[in-house]
Amino acid sequence: MRIGLLTSGGDCPGLNAVIRAAVLHGEKSFADEFVGFRGGWRGLIEADYFPLSRHDVRGISRNGGTILGTSRTHPYNHPQGGPENIIATMKAHDVDAVIAIGGEGTLAGAKRLADDGVPVVGVPKTIDNDLKATDYTFGFDTAISIATDAMDRLRTTGESHHRAMVAEVMGRHVGWIALHSGMAAGAHAILIPEQRVSMDQICEWTEQVHSRGRSPLIVVAEGFIPEGAEEALAGKGVEDSGRPRLGGIGEWVTAQLEERTGIETRNTTLGHIQRGGNPTGYDRVLATRFGMRAMDLVHEGAWGHMASLRGTEILKVNLEEALDGLKEVPLSRYEEAKILFGR
Ligand code: F6P
């Protein structure tokens, strides 16, 4: 078979490990040929691709980013998009199947295309870890590692100045990055979109720690909504897809803390650092296993399905299971972390 690979949506470390694994498994086990579509769905729609062989993917697992490039193009919103055009393009360029590596938006597009007859399978990707039907997505562990290191650094400078330190992390509308990196860094408060908290309570946690001579660390997810607010702060306009660009809550919490407690407070918004650099070993292994499983799905003809992690097993799940809402942080996990807030 001749198989096309594409990476779509926000990039993250691990994408290249998926690409390498799929190509190597496909070549060695099935004598498949590969092409790489540039810039996500756009490359498929516009037939913008290049041949991929084992020589093109050797050693790329450790490299962050994606050798294919990515975009937030939606397969049905592009002027030449839609299943008929995509099927025609695949036939014209002798592509038998597509492996789409992406997050919620990408996989929703893949599911719709599969329902419309396009031979496509998915691989779940996002640093947010907000996809259902898989315990983890690759990219998440690397983001946690980066954020934790950053918070460790914030703590030493905060301690030196006896300041409160706020760290804003990514994650869109779920708090997994904040929860895991906050716990790893020993944060004194972790603010996530799933749980509204008042500024009074945040001030109380902060003052409890500060009054003991320590430097409070407050980790806030970009999608956190403080009590009294209607929605997450999104003062940076909208993305191409029309999604509001989240961000700014860290500065807002910082200003509130200083004003209400008088404690000198500084904010650091980690931003795209969480998506950069090389993947952790965990993410390289997970991504490699996802890429290999995706190849098996192609040869099973399991269109509209994706690789999924359950425990330590890589399974096949229907994309609709991954798209039935966001995987939010359950109350039990928040309550567990909250025991360590403040004192
Ligand atoms: O979905 C991954 C993610 O990094 C989110 O956590 C973040 O809000 C968004 O992408 C940023 O998107 P962009 O890279 O388009 O600014």
Side-chain angles (χ1 to χ4, degrees), residues 303-314:
W303 316 128
H305 289 74
M306 77 173 197
S308 151
L309 175 69
R310 277 282 182 259
T312 59
E313 295 304 306
I314 306 295

mmCIF file with all atom_site columns, all heavy atoms in Angstrom, residues 303-314:
data_model
loop_
_atom_site.group_PDB
_atom_site.id
_atom_site.type_symbol
_atom_site.label_atom_id
_atom_site.label_alt_id
_atom_site.label_comp_id
_atom_site.label_asym_id
_atom_site.label_entity_id
_atom_site.label_seq_id
_atom_site.pdbx_PDB_ins_code
_atom_site.Cartn_x
_atom_site.Cartn_y
_atom_site.Cartn_z
_atom_site.occupancy
_atom_site.B_iso_or_equiv
_atom_site.pdbx_formal_charge
_atom_site.auth_seq_id
_atom_site.auth_comp_id
_atom_site.auth_asym_id
_atom_site.auth_atom_id
_atom_site.pdbx_PDB_model_num
ATOM 1  N N   . TRP A 1 303 ? -10.878 1.955  9.221  1.00 0.00 ? 303 TRP A N   1
ATOM 2  C CA  . TRP A 1 303 ? -11.060 3.390  8.985  1.00 0.00 ? 303 TRP A CA  1
ATOM 3  C C   . TRP A 1 303 ? -11.966 3.977  10.067 1.00 0.00 ? 303 TRP A C   1
ATOM 4  O O   . TRP A 1 303 ? -12.904 3.337  10.543 1.00 0.00 ? 303 TRP A O   1
ATOM 5  C CB  . TRP A 1 303 ? -11.643 3.607  7.596  1.00 0.00 ? 303 TRP A CB  1
ATOM 6  C CG  . TRP A 1 303 ? -11.018 2.768  6.519  1.00 0.00 ? 303 TRP A CG  1
ATOM 7  C CD1 . TRP A 1 303 ? -11.665 1.964  5.608  1.00 0.00 ? 303 TRP A CD1 1
ATOM 8  C CD2 . TRP A 1 303 ? -9.617  2.601  6.243  1.00 0.00 ? 303 TRP A CD2 1
ATOM 9  N NE1 . TRP A 1 303 ? -10.766 1.328  4.805  1.00 0.00 ? 303 TRP A NE1 1
ATOM 10 C CE2 . TRP A 1 303 ? -9.506  1.695  5.151  1.00 0.00 ? 303 TRP A CE2 1
ATOM 11 C CE3 . TRP A 1 303 ? -8.439  3.111  6.809  1.00 0.00 ? 303 TRP A CE3 1
ATOM 12 C CZ2 . TRP A 1 303 ? -8.270  1.309  4.635  1.00 0.00 ? 303 TRP A CZ2 1
ATOM 13 C CZ3 . TRP A 1 303 ? -7.221  2.723  6.284  1.00 0.00 ? 303 TRP A CZ3 1
ATOM 14 C CH2 . TRP A 1 303 ? -7.137  1.850  5.199  1.00 0.00 ? 303 TRP A CH2 1
ATOM 15 N N   . GLY A 1 304 ? -11.653 5.206  10.456 1.00 0.00 ? 304 GLY A N   1
ATOM 16 C CA  . GLY A 1 304 ? -12.451 5.848  11.498 1.00 0.00 ? 304 GLY A CA  1
ATOM 17 C C   . GLY A 1 304 ? -12.089 5.398  12.894 1.00 0.00 ? 304 GLY A C   1
ATOM 18 O O   . GLY A 1 304 ? -12.807 5.694  13.853 1.00 0.00 ? 304 GLY A O   1
ATOM 19 N N   . HIS A 1 305 ? -10.973 4.688  13.020 1.00 0.00 ? 305 HIS A N   1
ATOM 20 C CA  . HIS A 1 305 ? -10.484 4.273  14.337 1.00 0.00 ? 305 HIS A CA  1
ATOM 21 C C   . HIS A 1 305 ? -9.137  4.929  14.618 1.00 0.00 ? 305 HIS A C   1
ATOM 22 O O   . HIS A 1 305 ? -8.509  5.492  13.716 1.00 0.00 ? 305 HIS A O   1
ATOM 23 C CB  . HIS A 1 305 ? -10.351 2.751  14.399 1.00 0.00 ? 305 HIS A CB  1
ATOM 24 C CG  . HIS A 1 305 ? -11.658 2.039  14.433 1.00 0.00 ? 305 HIS A CG  1
ATOM 25 N ND1 . HIS A 1 305 ? -12.462 1.936  13.304 1.00 0.00 ? 305 HIS A ND1 1
ATOM 26 C CD2 . HIS A 1 305 ? -12.339 1.427  15.435 1.00 0.00 ? 305 HIS A CD2 1
ATOM 27 C CE1 . HIS A 1 305 ? -13.565 1.274  13.615 1.00 0.00 ? 305 HIS A CE1 1
ATOM 28 N NE2 . HIS A 1 305 ? -13.527 0.955  14.904 1.00 0.00 ? 305 HIS A NE2 1
ATOM 29 N N   . MET A 1 306 ? -8.699  4.830  15.891 1.00 0.00 ? 306 MET A N   1
ATOM 30 C CA  . MET A 1 306 ? -7.399  5.403  16.274 1.00 0.00 ? 306 MET A CA  1
ATOM 31 C C   . MET A 1 306 ? -6.710  4.496  17.270 1.00 0.00 ? 306 MET A C   1
ATOM 32 O O   . MET A 1 306 ? -7.357  3.645  17.915 1.00 0.00 ? 306 MET A O   1
ATOM 33 C CB  . MET A 1 306 ? -7.572  6.811  16.867 1.00 0.00 ? 306 MET A CB  1
ATOM 34 C CG  . MET A 1 306 ? -8.086  6.817  18.289 1.00 0.00 ? 306 MET A CG  1
ATOM 35 S SD  . MET A 1 306 ? -8.093  8.480  19.023 1.00 0.00 ? 306 MET A SD  1
ATOM 36 C CE  . MET A 1 306 ? -8.244  8.048  20.769 1.00 0.00 ? 306 MET A CE  1
ATOM 37 N N   . ALA A 1 307 ? -5.418  4.679  17.383 1.00 0.00 ? 307 ALA A N   1
ATOM 38 C CA  . ALA A 1 307 ? -4.658  3.980  18.428 1.00 0.00 ? 307 ALA A CA  1
ATOM 39 C C   . ALA A 1 307 ? -5.000  4.630  19.766 1.00 0.00 ? 307 ALA A C   1
ATOM 40 O O   . ALA A 1 307 ? -5.280  5.827  19.837 1.00 0.00 ? 307 ALA A O   1
ATOM 41 C CB  . ALA A 1 307 ? -3.160  4.105  18.149 1.00 0.00 ? 307 ALA A CB  1
ATOM 42 N N   . SER A 1 308 ? -4.963  3.829  20.831 1.00 0.00 ? 308 SER A N   1
ATOM 43 C CA  . SER A 1 308 ? -5.351  4.348  22.146 1.00 0.00 ? 308 SER A CA  1
ATOM 44 C C   . SER A 1 308 ? -4.543  3.654  23.228 1.00 0.00 ? 308 SER A C   1
ATOM 45 O O   . SER A 1 308 ? -4.215  2.467  23.085 1.00 0.00 ? 308 SER A O   1
ATOM 46 C CB  . SER A 1 308 ? -6.841  4.047  22.357 1.00 0.00 ? 308 SER A CB  1
ATOM 47 O OG  . SER A 1 308 ? -7.147  3.895  23.734 1.00 0.00 ? 308 SER A OG  1
ATOM 48 N N   . LEU A 1 309 ? -4.200  4.391  24.292 1.00 0.00 ? 309 LEU A N   1
ATOM 49 C CA  . LEU A 1 309 ? -3.476  3.783  25.414 1.00 0.00 ? 309 LEU A CA  1
ATOM 50 C C   . LEU A 1 309 ? -4.467  3.450  26.515 1.00 0.00 ? 309 LEU A C   1
ATOM 51 O O   . LEU A 1 309 ? -5.216  4.305  26.981 1.00 0.00 ? 309 LEU A O   1
ATOM 52 C CB  . LEU A 1 309 ? -2.426  4.758  25.958 1.00 0.00 ? 309 LEU A CB  1
ATOM 53 C CG  . LEU A 1 309 ? -1.671  4.297  27.215 1.00 0.00 ? 309 LEU A CG  1
ATOM 54 C CD1 . LEU A 1 309 ? -0.740  3.119  26.876 1.00 0.00 ? 309 LEU A CD1 1
ATOM 55 C CD2 . LEU A 1 309 ? -0.867  5.453  27.818 1.00 0.00 ? 309 LEU A CD2 1
ATOM 56 N N   . ARG A 1 310 ? -4.464  2.178  26.931 1.00 0.00 ? 310 ARG A N   1
ATOM 57 C CA  . ARG A 1 310 ? -5.274  1.767  28.087 1.00 0.00 ? 310 ARG A CA  1
ATOM 58 C C   . ARG A 1 310 ? -4.333  1.031  29.033 1.00 0.00 ? 310 ARG A C   1
ATOM 59 O O   . ARG A 1 310 ? -3.876  -0.076 28.718 1.00 0.00 ? 310 ARG A O   1
ATOM 60 C CB  . ARG A 1 310 ? -6.406  0.831  27.636 1.00 0.00 ? 310 ARG A CB  1
ATOM 61 C CG  . ARG A 1 310 ? -7.630  1.574  27.116 1.00 0.00 ? 310 ARG A CG  1
ATOM 62 C CD  . ARG A 1 310 ? -8.465  2.133  28.256 1.00 0.00 ? 310 ARG A CD  1
ATOM 63 N NE  . ARG A 1 310 ? -9.677  2.800  27.747 1.00 0.00 ? 310 ARG A NE  1
ATOM 64 C CZ  . ARG A 1 310 ? -9.803  4.121  27.633 1.00 0.00 ? 310 ARG A CZ  1
ATOM 65 N NH1 . ARG A 1 310 ? -8.796  4.903  27.982 1.00 0.00 ? 310 ARG A NH1 1
ATOM 66 N NH2 . ARG A 1 310 ? -10.925 4.658  27.188 1.00 0.00 ? 310 ARG A NH2 1
ATOM 67 N N   . GLY A 1 311 ? -3.988  1.689  30.155 1.00 0.00 ? 311 GLY A N   1
ATOM 68 C CA  . GLY A 1 311 ? -2.996  1.056  31.027 1.00 0.00 ? 311 GLY A CA  1
ATOM 69 C C   . GLY A 1 311 ? -1.665  1.038  30.309 1.00 0.00 ? 311 GLY A C   1
ATOM 70 O O   . GLY A 1 311 ? -1.132  2.076  29.952 1.00 0.00 ? 311 GLY A O   1
ATOM 71 N N   . THR A 1 312 ? -1.166  -0.163 29.995 1.00 0.00 ? 312 THR A N   1
ATOM 72 C CA  . THR A 1 312 ? 0.085   -0.246 29.228 1.00 0.00 ? 312 THR A CA  1
ATOM 73 C C   . THR A 1 312 ? -0.168  -0.842 27.840 1.00 0.00 ? 312 THR A C   1
ATOM 74 O O   . THR A 1 312 ? 0.769   -1.101 27.094 1.00 0.00 ? 312 THR A O   1
ATOM 75 C CB  . THR A 1 312 ? 1.102   -1.153 29.951 1.00 0.00 ? 312 THR A CB  1
ATOM 76 O OG1 . THR A 1 312 ? 0.510   -2.455 30.105 1.00 0.00 ? 312 THR A OG1 1
ATOM 77 C CG2 . THR A 1 312 ? 1.473   -0.590 31.320 1.00 0.00 ? 312 THR A CG2 1
ATOM 78 N N   . GLU A 1 313 ? -1.459  -1.039 27.518 1.00 0.00 ? 313 GLU A N   1
ATOM 79 C CA  . GLU A 1 313 ? -1.793  -1.659 26.227 1.00 0.00 ? 313 GLU A CA  1
ATOM 80 C C   . GLU A 1 313 ? -2.148  -0.582 25.195 1.00 0.00 ? 313 GLU A C   1
ATOM 81 O O   . GLU A 1 313 ? -2.783  0.427  25.538 1.00 0.00 ? 313 GLU A O   1
ATOM 82 C CB  . GLU A 1 313 ? -3.003  -2.601 26.394 1.00 0.00 ? 313 GLU A CB  1
ATOM 83 C CG  . GLU A 1 313 ? -2.708  -3.804 27.295 1.00 0.00 ? 313 GLU A CG  1
ATOM 84 C CD  . GLU A 1 313 ? -1.509  -4.609 26.802 1.00 0.00 ? 313 GLU A CD  1
ATOM 85 O OE1 . GLU A 1 313 ? -1.520  -5.018 25.618 1.00 0.00 ? 313 GLU A OE1 1
ATOM 86 O OE2 . GLU A 1 313 ? -0.551  -4.769 27.582 1.00 0.00 ? 313 GLU A OE2 1
ATOM 87 N N   . ILE A 1 314 ? -1.793  -0.827 23.941 1.00 0.00 ? 314 ILE A N   1
ATOM 88 C CA  . ILE A 1 314 ? -2.192  0.057  22.836 1.00 0.00 ? 314 ILE A CA  1
ATOM 89 C C   . ILE A 1 314 ? -3.352  -0.624 22.114 1.00 0.00 ? 314 ILE A C   1
ATOM 90 O O   . ILE A 1 314 ? -3.188  -1.697 21.523 1.00 0.00 ? 314 ILE A O   1
ATOM 91 C CB  . ILE A 1 314 ? -1.026  0.296  21.855 1.00 0.00 ? 314 ILE A CB  1
ATOM 92 C CG1 . ILE A 1 314 ? 0.197   0.811  22.614 1.00 0.00 ? 314 ILE A CG1 1
ATOM 93 C CG2 . ILE A 1 314 ? -1.456  1.268  20.757 1.00 0.00 ? 314 ILE A CG2 1
ATOM 94 C CD1 . ILE A 1 314 ? 0.032   2.176  23.252 1.00 0.00 ? 314 ILE A CD1 1
#
